[in-house]
């Protein structure tokens, strides 16, 4: 990934992510762009949110939690290490921090807060710091040593982690997104990893779904859509101007509408197929012989 690339220009759902009834759970970090709405809680390693993000449930962070100004949390915030709460943040429940707490002006915590470490009242997380924090986590997936050093200089708390390789890719929700049981709506491309279980219709510029996923909703995109091996889409698959590729043993439990359609061996479509262009049926090695 080039250093100039904006990490929040795509919805990225890492392998193994599961959307449960009350929370979106992932093994890695959760990075949320400004002015997004998450209609349930989130659970992850580090949770980092930009300005004016709304959470509809608890935030549970094994590591650090960073909330920029004007964020709103409908329930509790539970943090395993340090917390950085920007000015005018509203938390409807409790704030519990196992480590240090940096907290800005005019923060409203309805049920009180507690921290086992130092408590500092200031404006702890300007937007530029937030930018480089999530840049660092994404760039560590590659080998961008210069970017890692720059981020480490800007964010003191991350110095000890600069040479460590993360054990899980972060969940990235772009700016102005809406994520909930009803729909995942973004104006960017969307990439969903392997072995994910999500509820809600996915709306994006393009959609790439990995292998062995269960998506309980429809897929709709302006551009291309690909569905990985063994994945189940419990709804329609529609693209306005793009092509669709459905990999081996994947199944669409609804209609498919696209330009060109490629069906690999074992792929199934239970509903009606509407393709303005070509329909290509893949063949197995035995059939080729």
């Amino acid at each position: 990934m080039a250093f100039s690339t904006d990490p929040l220009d795509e919805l990225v759902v890492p392998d193994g992510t599961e959307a449960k009834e009350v929370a979106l759970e992932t093994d890695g970090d959760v990075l949320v762009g400004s002015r997004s709405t998450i209609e349930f809680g989130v659970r992850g390693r580090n949770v980092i949110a930009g300005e004016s993000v709304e959470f509809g449930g608890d935030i549970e962070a094994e590591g650090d939690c960073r909330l920029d100004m004007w964020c709103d949390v409908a329930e509790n915030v539970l943090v395993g290490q340090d917390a950085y709460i920007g000015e005018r943040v509203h938390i409807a429940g409790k704030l519990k921090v196992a480590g240090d707490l940096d907290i800005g002006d005019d923060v409203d915590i309805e049920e009180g807060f507690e921290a086992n470490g130092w408590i500092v009242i200031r404006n702890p997380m300007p937007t530029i710091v937030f930018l480089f924090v999530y840049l660092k986590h994404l760039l560590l997936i590659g080998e961008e040593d210069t970017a890692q050093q720059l981020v480490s200089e800007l964010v003191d708390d991350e110095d000890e982690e600069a040479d460590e390789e993360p054990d899980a890719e972060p969940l990235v929700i772009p700016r102005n997104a809406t994520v909930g049981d009803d729909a995942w709506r973004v104006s960017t491309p969307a990439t969903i990893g392997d072995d994910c279980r999500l509820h809600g219709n996915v709306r994006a510029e393009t959609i790439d779904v990995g292998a062995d996923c269960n998506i309980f909703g429809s897929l709709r995109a302006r551009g291309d859509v690909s569905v990985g091996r063994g994945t189940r889409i419990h709804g329609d698959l529609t693209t306005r101007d793009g092509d669709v590729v459905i990999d081996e043993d994947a199944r669409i439990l609804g209609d498919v509408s696209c330009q060109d359609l490629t069906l690999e061996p074992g792929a199934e479509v239970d509903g009606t197929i509407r393709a303005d262009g070509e329909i290509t049926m893949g063949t197995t090695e035995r059939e080729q012989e």
Side-chain angles (χ1 to χ4, degrees):
M1 178 183 298
F3 182 71
S4 59
T5 300
D6 183 352
L8 292 185
D9 63 0
E10 182 177 8
L11 171 66
V12 179
V13 180
D15 297 349
T17 299
E18 185 172 358
K20 297 187 175 180
E21 291 183 2
V22 296
L24 181 61
E25 296 187 4
T26 184
D27 293 332
D29 298 342
V30 179
L31 312 176
V32 185
S34 301
R35 297 175 296 281
S36 291
T37 299
I38 314 300
E39 295 179 356
F40 33 58
V42 296
R43 296 171 185 166
R45 184 173 52 189
N46 299 305
V47 178
I48 303 171
E51 296 180 4
S52 302
V53 174
E54 296 183 9
F55 294 91
D58 292 328
I59 294 177
E60 297 184 30
E62 296 178 7
D64 294 348
C65 178
R66 299 172 180 261
L67 303 179
D68 211 341
M69 62 176 61
W70 298 107
C71 284
D72 190 289
V73 184
E75 298 185 26
N76 303 312
V77 178
L78 310 175
V79 184
Q81 296 182 16
D82 300 333
Y84 307 81
I85 309 299
E87 61 183 351
R88 297 180 177 84
V89 167
H90 172 252
I91 299 174
K94 296 180 180 179
L95 170 63
K96 293 185 177 182
V97 183
D100 298 336
L101 170 62
D102 278 13
I103 190 166
D105 297 330
D106 298 322
V107 173
D108 181 14
I109 305 172
E110 293 187 12
E111 298 185 16
F113 67 91
E114 58 184 71
N116 291 335
W118 292 96
I119 299 176
V120 180
I121 300 176
R122 59 181 179 180
N123 294 331
M125 191 178 64
T127 302
I128 190 65
V129 175
F130 164 73
L131 169 67
F132 283 107
V133 169
Y134 66 66
L135 265 174
K136 172 184 178 291
H137 283 285
L138 292 182
L139 293 174
L140 276 171
I141 298 171
E143 298 182 357
E144 301 288 341
D145 294 336
T146 302
Q148 292 176 25
Q149 293 172 2
L150 176 60
V151 172
S152 298
E153 292 173 0
L154 289 172
V155 186
D156 295 338
D157 304 310
E158 302 295 327
D159 284 344
E160 295 180 358
E161 299 177 2
D163 297 326
E164 296 180 5
E165 192 73 16
D167 54 9
E169 185 180 10
L171 167 65
V172 181
I173 298 174
R175 300 175 184 86
N176 303 306
T178 299
V179 174
D181 281 338
D182 178 61
W184 296 54
R185 294 187 179 91
V186 299
S187 58
T188 67
T191 300
I192 299 172
D194 300 337
D195 300 306
C196 293
R197 183 181 178 89
L198 306 180
H199 291 263
N201 303 311
V202 180
R203 306 287 185 260
E205 186 69 25
T206 61
I207 303 174
D208 182 4
V209 182
D212 299 315
C213 293
N214 262 299
I215 310 295
F216 294 92
S218 61
L219 305 182
R220 180 179 298 173
R222 292 179 179 272
D224 296 342
V225 178
S226 62
V227 177
R229 180 194 304 263
T231 286
R232 297 291 182 269
I233 306 299
H234 299 259
D236 297 335
L237 192 164
T238 304
T239 172
R240 180 182 300 178
D241 302 312
D243 301 332
V244 169
V245 176
I246 303 175
D247 210 340
E248 295 181 15
D249 300 320
R251 186 176 181 183
I252 311 300
L253 301 171
D255 300 337
V256 173
S257 179
C258 60
Q259 295 296 315
D260 294 341
L261 173 63
T262 300
L263 293 170
E264 297 296 346
E268 298 181 21
V269 176
D270 286 5
T272 302
I273 295 176
R274 300 180 181 87
D276 293 337
E278 298 180 349
I279 299 178
T280 303
M281 308 289 290
T283 58
T284 63
E285 294 181 359
R286 178 178 297 180
E287 290 172 337
Q288 292 174 352
E289 293 175 356

